Amino acid sequence: MSVGEVAGLIAACALLILVGLLAYPILKLGKVFDETRIMVKGVSDSSVPLLGEVTTTVATTNAQLAKVDTITDNATTVTTNAAALMSLFSATAGGPLVKAAAFTYGVRRALGEQQRKDVSRRVKDEMKAERKARKR
């Protein structure tokens, strides 16, 4: 055996050892890829029904929102009609009612003022009578 053949044999053994050392991590990496594939399959299997449920929920929510939209439109119509009715009422009966309220307030005030004057006059008369009675 020549020196070249020994060198070739050593190189072949080194290459064999290198391939053996690299094969182990590659096999481990293959197992990691298998587990990743199984996990992704499980996620996709469980997410498909979930997406179906989400689709159903969104469809139901949209139907409910359409009903709420109808209710909101009806409430807007009722509010508009109530505002128009109030405006009509204030235009037709508001003026006379304000005048009647002002009149009754004035009458009450005048009667109250008259009663206060009467009470004040009576109190003064009683005080004068008491002073005269003390002086005697």
Side-chain angles (χ1 to χ4, degrees), residues 18 33 49 68 88 94 109:
L18 182 65
F33 283 148
V68 169
L88 177 66
R109 178 108 176 167

Side-chain angles (χ1 to χ4, degrees), residues 54-67:
V54 168
T55 302
T56 304
T57 303
V58 168
T60 304
T61 303
N62 284 340
Q64 294 299 323
L65 286 176
K67 290 178 183 177

Side-chain angles (χ1 to χ4, degrees), residues 80-92:
T80 304
N81 291 343
L85 183 63
M86 196 64 178
S87 175
L88 177 66
F89 176 76
S90 66
T92 56

Side-chain angles (χ1 to χ4, degrees), residues 7 14 22 51:
L22 289 177
L51 288 175

Side-chain angles (χ1 to χ4, degrees), residues 9-121:
L9 187 61
I10 292 174
C13 286
L15 184 63
L16 184 63
I17 292 172
L18 182 65
V19 168
L21 290 176
L22 289 177
Y24 183 74
I26 289 174
L27 289 174
K28 288 289 189 182
L29 185 62
K31 288 181 183 179
V32 168
F33 283 148
D34 286 342
E35 290 179 18
T36 305
R37 181 184 50 82
I38 291 169
M39 185 180 67
V40 167
K41 185 177 184 290
V43 168
S44 68
D45 288 346
S46 64
S47 65
V48 168
L50 183 63
L51 288 175
E53 291 177 11
V54 168
T55 302
T56 304
T57 303
V58 168
T60 304
T61 303
N62 284 340
Q64 294 299 323
L65 286 176
K67 290 178 183 177
V68 169
D69 191 34
T70 303
I71 291 170
T72 305
D73 289 342
N74 290 340
T76 302
T77 303
V78 167
T79 304
T80 304
N81 291 343
L85 183 63
M86 196 64 178
S87 175
L88 177 66
F89 176 76
S90 66
T92 56
L97 285 177
V98 169
K99 289 178 183 175
F103 176 73
T104 56
Y105 175 75
V107 168
R108 281 185 298 152
R109 178 108 176 167
L111 290 177
E113 188 69 30
Q114 185 63 35
Q115 287 176 352
R116 254 185 266 129
K117 287 180 183 177
D118 290 344
V119 169
S120 177
R121 192 177 319 122

